[in-house]
Amino acid sequence: PIGDCNSLEIIKNIIPKEAHAVISEIRRQNSISHRSAVLFLKDGKSGEALYIYQQQEMLKFMNSQSDLIGEVLKDYFTALKHKPNDSMLVIAMDNKLVRELSVRIREILIKIGKVDMSTAITVQIPNDSAKSSNNEPKYITQDFAVGDVIHFKKNDKNIKLKDKITNREYDAETFLTNKTNGRISGISGSKENGYEIMVDIEVPGKGPNGTEALAYVKINTKLYTDNSNKILVPIDLNYAITAYSSQGQTVKKVFLVDGELMKRREAYVACSRHRDAMTIYFDKDALAKSIHKDNPNIKFEEIKKEYNNIQFLNHASRKWARPSYQNSVPLHSLNLRNDIRTAFELNTNENINP
């Protein structure tokens, strides 16, 4: 799904006034339970969705943003080690955090040799932040190299996806689209005549018996350009991204960072980007501040000390929920061992080792 049931808004002037859209089936996720969770989120029933995720141990609670960043990086590179060809994406709400995660992921990839900076080129790309702020420049300068994961920002029906093995185009409808993502596998050409960038892309359903196939596209930086400024190349790195900007993307694994701005619509979009797996990270420090803001009579220090993960999760669930489903919360979502651990620690101030 892209967006939500309000997707017909953009064509409201050319359809009957009584027309409406209802999303009744989810296909992107391979897991049936994950599809069910996305449908719950679509309706604003965050408690039911988070309960499903918790039962599958997809939720992590960290004490601070620093701990959270460290855990995301650890999980990202653990997943990369086990399945180096899988597409992955970190999604967060805060632009500053997105930039930090993206930079740190790429720095590590360069250090371990996954991104070959000897092939690097530098191009000017559109600055998405300029759309929401007049103080931001209209473009930024970004380097790209073989091994970098990128996404495209413009549809081009003239650029067809070709099978990596047979070198054949799939069909007329399989062309380069906005939000397509892949890994750069080759760079050639020159700045004067345009760089040619080859990108490998996962294509579901195009392999034998409907399996996934590996395709590729080639773009020339002089020909594949922004509609409003022909100097700019509409591509960007695709390591970490905001929930809003992730709309339309599909990857195998998502690392989702909760934040104060995560509401129903953002949660629905972010939790529907993955096909195979997702992990959601909660910052208890940030959640405690949010709880204190809603309940000034409860001290921040008291919340941090006495609240358990169930209480933090319930608060997050209410943020994610449609207003009419504010009581849709996963009250019993933590496993028994964590419940016992929390009760024991509160009563004895002792620690239980996992």
Side-chain angles (χ1 to χ4, degrees), residues 129-326:
S129 298
K131 297 176 182 178
S132 57
S133 173
N134 293 327
N135 297 323
E136 292 282 345
K138 298 298 182 183
Y139 67 89
I140 56 177
T141 300
Q142 177 65 55
D143 59 301
F144 298 92
V146 170
D148 267 325
V149 178
I150 68 170
H151 69 266
F152 297 90
K153 296 182 175 182
K154 172 187 169 183
N155 295 334
D156 193 325
K157 292 187 176 182
N158 295 318
I159 303 178
K160 308 297 185 183
L161 273 64
K162 294 184 178 181
D163 189 90
K164 187 80 172 179
I165 297 175
T166 66
N167 204 38
R168 294 178 179 175
E169 295 179 2
Y170 290 117
D171 51 60
E173 297 304 317
T174 309
F175 54 86
L176 184 58
T177 59
N178 180 29
K179 301 300 184 179
T180 297
N181 60 77
R183 181 175 283 106
I184 297 176
S185 57
I187 296 175
S188 59
S190 65
K191 182 177 181 179
E192 292 72 24
N193 298 317
Y195 296 109
E196 187 172 84
I197 304 175
M198 181 174 175
V199 182
D200 291 346
I201 299 168
E202 298 171 354
V203 185
K206 296 298 183 180
N209 301 316
T211 58
E212 182 181 88
L214 184 63
Y216 73 91
V217 294
K218 289 182 179 180
I219 65 165
N220 184 288
T221 56
K222 292 288 187 181
L223 301 176
Y224 182 73
T225 56
D226 188 69
N227 290 330
S228 60
N229 188 332
K230 297 301 181 181
I231 297 176
L232 306 182
V233 184
I235 60 176
D236 205 349
L237 297 173
N238 202 54
Y239 299 116
I241 200 169
T242 63
Y244 177 82
S245 296
S246 73
Q247 193 165 250
Q249 286 212 45
T250 300
V251 294
K252 285 190 175 178
K253 183 169 179 60
V254 162
F255 306 86
L256 174 59
V257 179
D258 178 55
E260 181 63 25
L261 297 176
M262 185 76 77
K263 307 300 182 185
R264 179 186 74 87
R265 188 167 297 184
E266 290 80 12
Y268 165 60
V269 170
C271 290
S272 58
R273 299 303 98 201
H274 71 283
R275 285 205 301 270
D276 294 345
M278 176 176 66
T279 303
I280 306 175
Y281 304 83
F282 295 96
D283 177 356
K284 292 198 286 187
D285 200 32
L287 286 172
K289 291 176 182 177
S290 178
I291 294 170
H292 173 66
K293 182 179 178 181
D294 292 346
N295 305 273
N297 293 330
I298 308 177
K299 295 181 179 180
F300 169 79
E301 294 77 12
E302 179 183 341
I303 297 169
K304 281 281 290 187
K305 181 179 179 181
E306 297 185 6
Y307 272 46
N308 58 35
N309 287 352
I310 291 178
Q311 291 166 297
F312 284 122
L313 185 59
N314 285 338
H315 181 75
S317 176
R318 291 186 180 96
K319 290 197 302 106
W320 288 23
R322 185 191 294 269
S324 57
Y325 289 113
Q326 290 290 312

Side-chain angles (χ1 to χ4, degrees), residues 29-38 41 48-62 71-72 75 252-258 270-282 313 320 333-335 338:
Q29 286 68 45
N30 289 328
S31 166
I32 294 176
S33 62
H34 289 197
R35 293 180 212 161
S36 297
V38 172
L41 289 170
E48 288 85 343
L50 286 168
Y51 182 80
I52 291 172
Y53 296 147
Q54 177 59 35
Q55 294 304 300
Q56 298 181 33
E57 299 183 344
M58 295 167 59
L59 310 183
K60 291 192 174 185
F61 295 85
M62 312 308 297
E71 191 71 9
V72 171
D75 291 349
K252 285 190 175 178
K253 183 169 179 60
V254 162
F255 306 86
L256 174 59
V257 179
D258 178 55
C271 290
S272 58
R273 299 303 98 201
H274 71 283
R275 285 205 301 270
D276 294 345
M278 176 176 66
T279 303
I280 306 175
Y281 304 83
F282 295 96
L313 185 59
W320 288 23
S333 65
L334 292 191
N335 61 50
N338 280 347

Side-chain angles (χ1 to χ4, degrees), residues 1-12 15 20-23 247 265 268-269:
I2 299 175
D4 61 8
C5 296
N6 297 320
S7 295
L8 289 183
E9 180 69 17
I10 58 176
I11 55 171
K12 64 181 181 181
I15 59 173
H20 67 281
V22 176
I23 296 174
Q247 193 165 250
R265 188 167 297 184
Y268 165 60
V269 170

Side-chain angles (χ1 to χ4, degrees), residues 65 69 73 90-107 127-130 132-133 136-137 140 142 236-237 239-242:
Q65 186 179 85
I69 290 173
L73 292 174
V90 178
I91 301 177
M93 293 303 301
D94 179 77
N95 282 312
K96 183 179 178 181
L97 179 58
V98 164
R99 285 192 291 269
E100 179 177 354
L101 286 165
S102 184
V103 168
R104 293 184 64 174
I105 289 171
R106 191 168 188 254
E107 285 176 344
N127 182 10
D128 288 343
S129 298
S132 57
S133 173
E136 292 282 345
I140 56 177
Q142 177 65 55
D236 205 349
L237 297 173
Y239 299 116
I241 200 169
T242 63

